[in-house]
Amino acid sequence: MQLQSIEKRVSSGHSPSCAEILLTTIQEMNREENLLKALNLFTQRSLVLFDCDVAAIYLFEQGKYKPFSVSFRDDKDRETLMLREFPQDFREICTEVVETDEEWVLALSHFNKTLGAYVLKGKRSHARDEGLAVFVKQVISIISSFIFERILKIDSLGREQALTLLLRGTEILVRADSEEQLLSEAGEMAMEILFLPGGFFLLEGAGGTWEIRSPFGRLKQEMEWDWRTWVRQYISKEECCLRSAKVHFFDIENNPFKWERVWIHPLQTHSGVVGELWLMNAGKYLNDQEQEILTAFIRVVGVALETIRQREELARLANTDRLTGILNRQGFEQRVREEIASTLRRDSRFLFLVLDLDRFKQLNDTLGHPMGDRALKEIAQNLRCAVREQDIVARTGGDEFTVVLTDIALNEESLTVIERMRKSMHLEVYNLGVSIGVAEFPTEGRTYDELYRLADQRLYRGKNSGKGNIIAD
């Protein structure tokens, strides 16, 4: 209908070829899938349709008019137009005549939605032809509809692709075995879904401190820009923004990538905000659709993170002695099996110790079980502090403890180490003693059961010959 109207108006005072050129152009644009290529075709034909020096389309994005398609007869005209900054609102038709040059700026809009602006500059003839102005307005109506429909199509395709990625990503994230795997996978997916160049997670760590975790994209690479220090400075200055349940952003400067903006999205679990996802970009605003996809994505990450933490907490509780807080028999056995494999790879040795407290039953009988529990807790902590971080300590029975001293062989020096460990337990506070049986891996046993059986046999042989002994043979 619009083309027919144009053709009637053109036939009354203009060459019919204008309508034919426009009709052919629209048909060719409809066959072009790429919006930029389609609008490039239109601005190129505009030079002929309106006998002008420059034809340009600016699209309204992120609150600004940005050049999208520019066609020109002379390079200097392109440079001038690309550098021009437009006001935020255009009059419907603005005509400024300077000597023989004329410029028309027409608003591109559809259903009261601002799409951009169409600019014709340096029109060489028909300077005050009202019929041409009517023709231009008709053209604008068609192009506005074309752009609006294409943007809807692009958004729809983008949404469909993002949702497909989100569904596929959800399946991957819920199968993650650890926090590191989850955050690494999530970072890569965020870039793929939102086409962003990089970012990282900021999670609350021990003691309420905030830790940078799993940088992705360009931030994953080594670079001259000390962005970690920059982030820490931001945290110290803007701590009020942290733990916020709202999406916020801030502009940045002085970085080698010329990034202009950081989007910060809270990461929540049922316990509240536990961290943030920081997304870097080049000044890009996240539209409503991207925000919706991002929100759904972050929600999935939060659920997966909480699932992993709950699973790890259950595993910790299953492997931890509730009274003393150190490993129980199940946890100790699992750790020892891991250490066996690791020690074999290192071609090393370790000592397997079984400790049994002397006179503990007497303590319980005379001072009561609460005092016995207190003694066990203090002894466990003393024992943990008496060995190295890589050593393994557990409570495997009522008053029985087990220890693995890694990367050490059975000799006089190691027996001195064991004696020093025994003194560090401060058993005299409760008038207790300890008997210890020792076995060496792999020379005296190559499995957990063999080591435990041998150390336990030596322990009770020592008890039977007198309490307080360290038996290693």
Side-chain angles (χ1 to χ4, degrees):
M1 293 295 294
Q2 287 175 309
L3 287 175
Q4 291 176 358
S5 175
I6 290 173
E7 201 163 4
K8 289 179 181 178
R9 291 181 182 276
V10 170
S11 64
S12 65
H14 298 284
S15 170
S17 61
C18 288
E20 293 172 358
I21 292 173
L22 179 60
L23 178 61
T24 301
T25 301
I26 296 299
Q27 290 173 341
E28 292 178 14
M29 290 171 64
N30 284 329
R31 290 193 294 269
E32 179 58 62
E33 292 294 328
N34 185 279
L35 178 60
L36 177 59
K37 291 182 179 180
L39 293 184
N40 281 342
L41 178 63
F42 175 71
T43 54
Q44 289 166 7
R45 298 285 173 82
S46 295
L47 298 177
V48 177
L49 279 172
F50 305 112
D51 191 23
C52 56
D53 294 322
V54 178
I57 288 180
Y58 286 69
L59 293 186
F60 189 69
E61 298 177 348
Q62 305 171 10
K64 296 181 180 180
Y65 289 92
K66 297 185 177 181
F68 189 78
S69 174
V70 180
S71 295
F72 51 93
R73 296 181 187 272
D74 194 311
D75 286 345
K76 62 181 179 61
D77 293 319
R78 174 185 175 86
E79 184 177 350
T80 300
L81 199 64
M82 293 294 282
L83 293 175
R84 176 173 179 179
E85 293 185 2
F86 285 103
Q88 295 305 297
D89 296 305
F90 289 121
R91 283 175 289 169
E92 186 176 5
I93 295 182
C94 173
T95 306
E96 299 175 358
V97 180
V98 180
E99 295 181 356
T100 59
D101 290 337
E102 183 179 79
E103 181 178 87
W104 284 2
V105 179
L106 301 99
L108 295 170
S109 62
H110 191 74
F111 293 122
N112 295 322
K113 177 180 175 61
T114 300
L115 302 175
Y118 178 47
V119 177
L120 299 175
K121 183 176 176 61
K123 194 171 68 64
R124 299 180 180 182
S125 61
H126 314 293
R128 301 187 181 281
D129 190 329
E130 294 182 0
L132 182 60
V134 173
F135 178 66
V136 171
K137 292 181 68 174
Q138 292 287 340
V139 171
I140 285 299
S141 178
I142 294 176
I143 294 304
S144 294
S145 297
F146 177 85
I147 293 174
F148 181 77
E149 291 172 2
R150 281 301 180 92
I151 290 176
L152 284 181
K153 183 178 180 181
I154 292 171
D155 287 346
S156 177
L157 288 174
R159 181 184 180 85
E160 182 178 346
Q161 292 173 352
L163 287 174
T164 300
L165 289 171
L166 182 61
L167 290 173
R168 179 170 60 84
T170 300
E171 296 176 0
I172 295 173
L173 295 180
V174 297
R175 292 199 300 268
D177 294 325
S178 66
E179 281 194 25
E180 288 307 315
Q181 182 186 359
L182 169 67
L183 298 179
S184 177
E185 296 276 7
E188 298 299 324
M189 290 177 192
M191 288 196 304
E192 190 174 0
I193 291 172
L194 298 172
F195 306 104
L196 297 174
F200 60 90
F201 286 90
L202 188 68
L203 295 188
E204 187 175 13
T209 59
W210 290 79
E211 301 174 355
I212 296 171
R213 303 275 298 276
S214 301
F216 52 87
R218 301 193 71 173
L219 292 183
K220 194 174 182 178
Q221 307 165 6
E222 293 295 329
M223 60 188 70
E224 294 182 4
W225 181 34
D226 187 7
W227 63 272
R228 292 177 182 269
T229 299
W230 166 76
V231 170
R232 293 188 184 99
Q233 290 174 346
Y234 169 79
I235 294 172
S236 64
K237 294 178 182 177
E238 304 290 342
E239 196 165 354
C240 58
C241 293
L242 298 174
R243 304 188 67 86
S244 169
K246 295 182 179 179
V247 178
H248 55 283
F249 68 88
F250 63 94
D251 297 325
I252 58 175
E253 299 177 351
N254 302 323
N255 65 85
F257 307 123
K258 297 182 179 179
W259 291 339
E260 300 176 14
R261 178 156 292 171
V262 177
W263 283 93
I264 302 177
H265 203 296
L267 179 60
Q268 300 185 70
T269 65
H270 287 305
S271 59
V273 177
V274 297
E276 296 171 337
L277 171 59
W278 288 43
L279 299 171
M280 311 290 186
N281 58 36
K284 176 184 176 183
Y285 280 79
L286 299 180
N287 59 36
D288 292 343
Q289 173 184 302
E290 291 171 325
Q291 280 284 9
E292 182 181 348
I293 296 296
L294 177 58
T295 298
F297 172 73
I298 291 294
R299 190 179 298 118
V300 170
V301 176
V303 170
L305 179 62
E306 186 164 43
T307 299
I308 289 173
R309 289 184 171 181
Q310 288 177 345
R311 187 167 63 232
E312 291 176 346
E313 178 63 13
L314 289 174
R316 187 191 69 80
L317 292 174
N319 294 327
T320 301
D321 177 58
R322 293 189 178 184
L323 176 63
T324 63
I326 61 176
L327 292 174
N328 59 16
R329 181 180 292 274
Q330 177 178 306
F332 179 72
E333 184 173 347
Q334 178 180 325
R335 285 287 306 279
V336 171
R337 294 185 190 282
E338 293 170 356
E339 184 59 35
I340 286 174
S342 178
T343 301
L344 288 174
R345 286 195 300 269
R346 298 193 305 270
D347 190 25
S348 184
R349 301 183 185 187
F350 68 72
L351 298 183
F352 189 107
L353 283 61
V354 177
L355 298 78
D356 189 80
L357 298 181
D358 299 328
R359 299 184 297 276
F360 183 74
K361 184 177 183 303
Q362 182 180 346
L363 173 68
N364 268 341
D365 291 343
T366 58
L367 298 180
H369 288 282
M371 181 58 73
D373 289 346
R374 176 181 172 182
L376 289 173
K377 286 191 284 188
E378 288 191 15
I379 291 169
Q381 295 310 308
N382 292 339
L383 188 57
R384 178 68 269 182
C385 293
V387 299
R388 300 163 298 173
E389 184 177 351
Q390 65 267 31
D391 296 330
I392 308 169
V393 177
R395 180 188 177 210
T396 48
D399 59 347
E400 178 187 277
F401 294 87
T402 46
V403 176
V404 166
L405 301 177
T406 62
D407 294 314
I408 188 171
L410 183 59
N411 51 39
E412 289 298 324
E413 183 179 351
S414 62
L415 290 176
T416 301
V417 170
I418 296 172
E419 177 60 35
R420 190 164 57 243
M421 179 193 73
R422 177 168 66 174
K423 289 181 179 180
S424 298
M425 295 170 68
H426 299 299
L427 299 170
E428 67 278 2
V429 174
Y430 295 97
N431 193 29
L432 298 175
V434 65
S435 299
I436 304 175
V438 184
E440 184 188 68
F441 174 85
T443 55
E444 296 185 313
R446 299 186 67 87
T447 67
Y448 172 86
D449 292 335
E450 290 174 354
L451 291 166
Y452 186 89
R453 187 182 306 112
L454 178 59
D456 192 53
Q457 288 173 356
R458 289 175 175 174
L459 163 70
Y460 281 98
R461 180 155 51 86
K463 272 187 171 292
N464 291 333
S465 61
K467 301 181 185 300
N469 294 315
I470 300 175
I471 307 300
D473 55 20

